[in-house]
Amino acid sequence: KDQNWRYGFGWFFSEDERGEFRAHSGKSGGFESYIRIYEPNDLMIFILTNHVNGSAKLLREEIIKEINK
């Protein structure tokens, strides 16, 4: 739905203040995950939770906000 994101084989490709990145999120049987990889500057973010309550998204948003300051 967001025109700034492209999707391919489970990965989303986009760009923000830090540069181009690819991202993947998921939910399964009691946990959530999120991966974001900025290849040009070797930054990788991995979030794994044992909850399915949106906490991975909240953590992701806070982390991205901090690194893009």
Side-chain angles (χ1 to χ4, degrees), residues 38-61:
Y38 293 89
E39 287 192 40
N41 54 23
D42 295 327
L43 174 63
M44 298 179 192
I45 300 166
F46 297 86
I47 301 171
L48 304 172
T49 71
N50 61 348
H51 301 284
V52 188
N53 61 5
S55 59
K57 182 179 180 184
L58 294 173
L59 282 168
R60 175 187 86 208
E61 290 171 350

Side-chain angles (χ1 to χ4, degrees), residues 5-68:
W5 287 75
R6 297 177 324 280
Y7 181 79
F9 295 104
W11 289 93
F12 288 93
F13 299 86
S14 191
E15 187 174 349
D16 65 9
E17 296 89 348
R18 225 259 195 241
E20 292 182 2
F21 65 87
R22 67 178 182 248
H24 189 287
S25 63
K27 293 181 191 177
S28 180
F31 71 91
E32 295 175 332
S33 63
Y34 182 77
I35 301 167
R36 183 178 284 206
I37 300 170
Y38 293 89
E39 287 192 40
N41 54 23
D42 295 327
L43 174 63
M44 298 179 192
I45 300 166
F46 297 86
I47 301 171
L48 304 172
T49 71
N50 61 348
H51 301 284
V52 188
N53 61 5
S55 59
K57 182 179 180 184
L58 294 173
L59 282 168
R60 175 187 86 208
E61 290 171 350
E62 288 300 316
I63 290 168
I64 299 305
K65 188 172 21 176
E66 283 297 313
I67 67 170
N68 284 332

